[in-house]
Amino acid sequence: MPERLQNYINGSWAPSSATESLNVINPASAAVLAEVPLSPAAEVAKAVDAASAAFVTWRRTPAGERIQPLFKLKMLLEENIDSLARTITNECGKTLGEATGEMRRAIENVEMACGIPSLMQGRNNEDIAPGIDEHMIRQPLGVVAAITPFNFPGMIPFWFLPYAVATGNCFILKPSERVPVTSARMFELLEKAGFPKGVLQMVHGGRDTVNALLDHPEVRAISFVGSTATARYIYSRASANGKRAQCQGGAKNPVVIMPDADMDMTTRILADSAFGCAGQRCLAASVAITVGDARGPLTDQMAAIAQNRKVGYGLDSGVEMGPVISAESKSRIESLIAKGEHEGARVLVDGRNRTVSGYHDGYFVFPTILDAVPPTSEIAGTEIFGPVLSLMHASTIDEAIALVNARAYGNMACIFTTDGANARRFRYEVSAGNVGINVGVAAPMAYFPFSGWGESFFGDLHAQADHGVEFYTQTKVIVERWPRDWSRKF
Ligand code: NAD
């Protein structure tokens, strides 16, 4: 029997009373790994009650004490990085190297949040008028929640959790129901890290569980990462209910290749960006726009790299790319490739209908390249979220920048060039919140905000760094006069 996952509420593991559940599947083998309950609203309410009760003491705990469990957590994550990465590979499909890299990014955010005593400092002015001082301090909000996607089960919860609790809030995670085992293993470590009970909760589930969080009056802020349709919905419902919301959505990331680019380096980096994590990365390069003479060499070299990429089970040695998350995802990606062909693109490398020896039931789509995708086609603006790179061709950098800025999404845009003036112009003019210059995955480190724009983000304060601190705190301004001091004569 597969393990039935439990919720974590008020410092204890709590079996869910849910009557509905889903199987968690290893996408490389289709083996059932666990069963995840779709928790009802009553269990969300219990989690919120526990968090509200814990908040009374937690917010009074000095910041320097609140970060002590985070230091311990950092060590626990380091000690368990290999087993966590293996869990990620098994339920999410990415390679062990990719999963380990993901956990490093999670740990960076824990390290960053250990600086909260200085990061959440306020500011003040003496004598805004004679004898009157003014101070601004930051206070936590109360109960906050995060709803996370399937593609980074180890990292994305840590874009939020460490900042939320270090600033004095109590936190509820609703992990993706497709990859909940990683969160279960992480909560076993969080339990050992020594947070007081009620500071951290995890409730498994799907839409109804999310809606219960969005509608609960005591949940003060919602952090979300997932597809644009869900992000827009969550942002609307959370804000209509008076909550703060930061909702990161989907993407379709363009990369411009200038004729002066170092083509060997560019194609290697571009392939890692487009096909790494099987393209299931919100910062994956999904459209490569060549300028002028870059077209021929880029097309030829990318085709060769795509054809030679080793696809398989992410724990097997030498594997460079794993499966996509589910059978539905595989068939959606394959039908989008067909749609691209129908709309006039040429399938230069076709990753459909391929199998991996020993893993015939796995959800594999091999690297695919669609060439000469018409800029006005629907596929040109659709997030495929699989290992599919579209090629478009422009004559000038102006044309390429216009193609970049024609998209609705604004998660990332990159340029490959050896010309500084082109690079500067690109970073100045493109509509994207994360920009790469000779970099294929412009993922901000924990000490920078993850700055999606356009349809890739709903809200104003992004995840990570100072944005995280600001999102999870409210400012209080105090104007202060002390009569005896004020009447002193100088
Ligand atoms: P998803 O939107 O299907 O699900 C994300 C979360 O929302 C899950 O926890 C799920 O249970 C919940 N959810 C889904 N539908 C819901 C509904 N109708 N009502 C309430 N809750 C709902 O996303 P996914 O498929 O898990 O993740 C992939 C997507 O996430 C891609 O679009 C990708 O680009 C995006 N993503 C974005 C970023 C970013 O930083 N912008 C990072 C990672 C992933």
Side-chain angles (χ1 to χ4, degrees), residues 310-323:
K310 186 167 179 210
V311 180
Y313 173 39
L315 291 186
D316 287 346
S317 73
V319 166
E320 295 171 294
M321 192 184 104

Side-chain angles (χ1 to χ4, degrees), residues 345-475:
R346 180 168 69 104
V347 186
L348 183 66
V349 181
D350 194 346
R352 293 172 289 182
N353 307 314
R354 303 276 304 272
T355 49
V356 172
S357 165
Y359 299 96
H360 290 279
D361 294 331
Y363 314 131
F364 293 98
V365 180
F366 280 53
T368 298
I369 299 182
L370 294 175
D371 189 22
V373 172
T376 51
S377 60
E378 206 179 315
I379 201 78
T382 304
E383 180 179 43
I384 300 177
F385 220 55
V388 181
L389 179 66
S390 297
L391 303 186
M392 290 185 192
H393 307 291
S395 308
T396 61
I397 188 170
D398 301 76
E399 221 182 285
I401 291 176
L403 286 171
V404 170
N405 289 347
R407 302 147 311 132
Y409 293 113
N411 221 30
M412 181 185 82
C414 302
I415 187 168
F416 284 83
T417 182
T418 48
D419 181 320
N422 282 338
R424 184 178 188 279
R425 169 139 181 240
F426 184 83
R427 78 165 150 83
Y428 193 86
E429 292 184 13
V430 285
S431 302
N434 301 297
V435 172
I437 295 171
N438 296 315
V439 164
V441 179
M445 299 291 285
Y447 27 93
F448 288 94
F450 195 104
S451 297
W453 284 14
E455 296 277 288
S456 300
F457 182 69
F458 301 85
D460 38 24
L461 293 165
H462 297 86
Q464 298 194 149
D466 51 330
H467 278 219
V469 174
E470 226 177 292
F471 182 76
Y472 289 123
T473 55
Q474 53 199 340
T475 52

